[in-house]
Amino acid sequence: MTEKALKIGFDAKRLFLNKSGLGNYSRWLVQGLSEDFKQNEYHLYSSIISDYKRDFNKDNIFFHQPLGVFKKFWRIKTIKKDLLRDKIDIYHGLSNEIPYGIEKTKIKSVVTIHDLIFKTHPEFYNPVDVLIYDKKFKSACNRANKIVAISNYTKKLLIDLYKINPEKIEVIYLNSPHIYYSTPQFNEIETIKSTFGISKPFMLNVGAIGGRKNQFRILDAFKMISNKVDFNLVFVCKPNRNSEMFIEKINEYNLESRCQIIHDISENNLHKLYHASYASIYTSIIEGFGIPIIESYRSGKPVITSYGTSLEEISGKAALLCNPTEIESIAENMLKIYKKETYKSLVENIPGELPKFNTENTIHKYINLYNNL
């Protein structure tokens, strides 16, 4: 691998402003690159620099904010002047877009496309947003020198929907936060269970309530089989407009003692909660990737997830697959994973699924991509 020193700029808006999702991806990538490839300079461009800055105070990381009064258009257009001033070699748009006109400079550009859900499932979006996203994503894909797709499923959609040359697209998987490489002490796991009043085995679901995350069908399925299993359900999520309706549904089904909702949990405590769980259930209608699957695997826990889309690709042989739109299919797999022989077989398959998410197959692929532009 070449040791050529590069100046790499990043669209760091999500890194500083998003607590999960695109934020986790941005922080994971920049931290990994800055630690494993110290010879490069990493320049973070964002209108707002949040408290996450404390995690990036390193000699090879630099922070940039817009100057002047026209900050609104800086990220999408006028940032080019700053990139040229800072002699940036490569600019990486970490969240589906790059500045207009960057293709007219000597700066090479990369854009990461996380998903095209607004195209395949527009019912989950405001119609105006669908039009805006479509224009931004397609433009970025056409103008960038290289596209990173976070799954083969997303790559296929880019080819089918935007007619992108397959050779322009590099598939690089995501990985879990670094904390998931460690195992909590037994007493830490018991403490987290005590903290949240958990006394029985439980299946864990992580994600915003409603929409494509599909928790209402999970609840319907659990109602069907709750008298046949002794595990409960724990939902980790942020409060949203669906939360009250979801709680009402739990009460309607008389499952108050079997279902628990935990809001605003820290990554450290979520890590312990995964280890405390029996298994995870992540039966989204559609995803661009599926980080909770990796988090569950690194905690030694199998998963029930959805077939098709990226989830089947990511989960491999350590998960049970269901039709996420059929309640009976979800319920059937809840019963299957409760069987000792099935559970044991899935757990034994977890180690074989993890290497594809390791640093050499993720972070290191980005450096290879940058060096070959």
Side-chain angles (χ1 to χ4, degrees), residues 320-331:
L320 295 179
L321 302 177
C322 68
N323 183 336
T325 64
E326 293 184 2
I327 296 168
E328 294 80 5
S329 179
I330 300 172

Side-chain angles (χ1 to χ4, degrees), residues 25 42 81 122 159 191 239 256 288 320 335 338 367:
Y25 162 71
Y42 303 98
K81 294 180 180 179
I159 296 168
T191 297
E256 302 96 321
L320 295 179
L335 290 176
Y338 187 61
I367 284 295

Side-chain angles (χ1 to χ4, degrees), residues 236-354:
V236 173
C237 58
K238 296 177 183 177
N240 65 14
R241 57 189 176 87
N242 296 310
S243 298
E244 186 175 342
M245 188 188 310
F246 191 64
I247 293 171
E248 290 175 357
K249 183 66 70 172
I250 291 173
N251 294 336
E252 177 188 333
Y253 289 166
N254 295 315
L255 291 173
E256 302 96 321
S257 64
R258 304 291 303 277
C259 297
Q260 183 174 351
I261 299 175
I262 298 175
H263 294 310
D264 300 322
I265 191 172
S266 68
E267 194 72 61
N268 186 42
N269 283 338
L270 178 59
H271 168 233
K272 295 171 185 174
L273 206 59
Y274 270 111
H275 278 271
S277 70
Y278 175 77
S280 291
I281 182 164
Y282 193 62
T283 52
S284 297
I285 302 297
I286 185 171
E287 293 289 343
F289 192 72
I291 282 289
I293 293 174
I294 309 176
E295 293 172 342
S296 191
Y297 283 179
R298 292 210 180 280
S299 305
K301 309 298 178 178
V303 177
I304 297 174
T305 192
S306 310
Y307 65 65
T309 76
S310 65
L311 297 175
E312 182 173 357
E313 172 188 342
I314 300 306
S315 59
K317 297 179 180 179
L320 295 179
L321 302 177
C322 68
N323 183 336
T325 64
E326 293 184 2
I327 296 168
E328 294 80 5
S329 179
I330 300 172
E332 178 184 344
N333 281 282
M334 284 181 168
L335 290 176
K336 279 184 181 179
I337 207 167
Y338 187 61
K339 296 178 180 179
K340 289 183 179 180
E341 59 273 20
T342 302
Y343 184 84
K344 181 175 181 291
S345 176
L346 292 172
V347 170
E348 289 174 348
N349 287 337
I350 290 175
E353 298 299 331
L354 290 175

Side-chain angles (χ1 to χ4, degrees), residues 1 28 36-37 172-173 175 181 298 354-368:
M1 184 180 297
W28 162 76
D36 287 6
F37 301 94
I172 305 179
Y173 284 159
N175 199 355
Y181 281 81
R298 292 210 180 280
L354 290 175
K356 59 191 175 188
F357 308 115
N358 288 344
T359 300
E360 59 270 21
N361 288 322
T362 53
I363 296 294
H364 291 199
K365 282 190 173 182
Y366 280 96
I367 284 295
N368 289 336

Side-chain angles (χ1 to χ4, degrees), residues 1-6 36-40 367 371:
M1 184 180 297
T2 179
E3 292 296 322
K4 176 187 175 183
L6 296 169
D36 287 6
F37 301 94
K38 293 182 173 64
Q39 75 275 16
N40 299 322
I367 284 295
N371 282 325

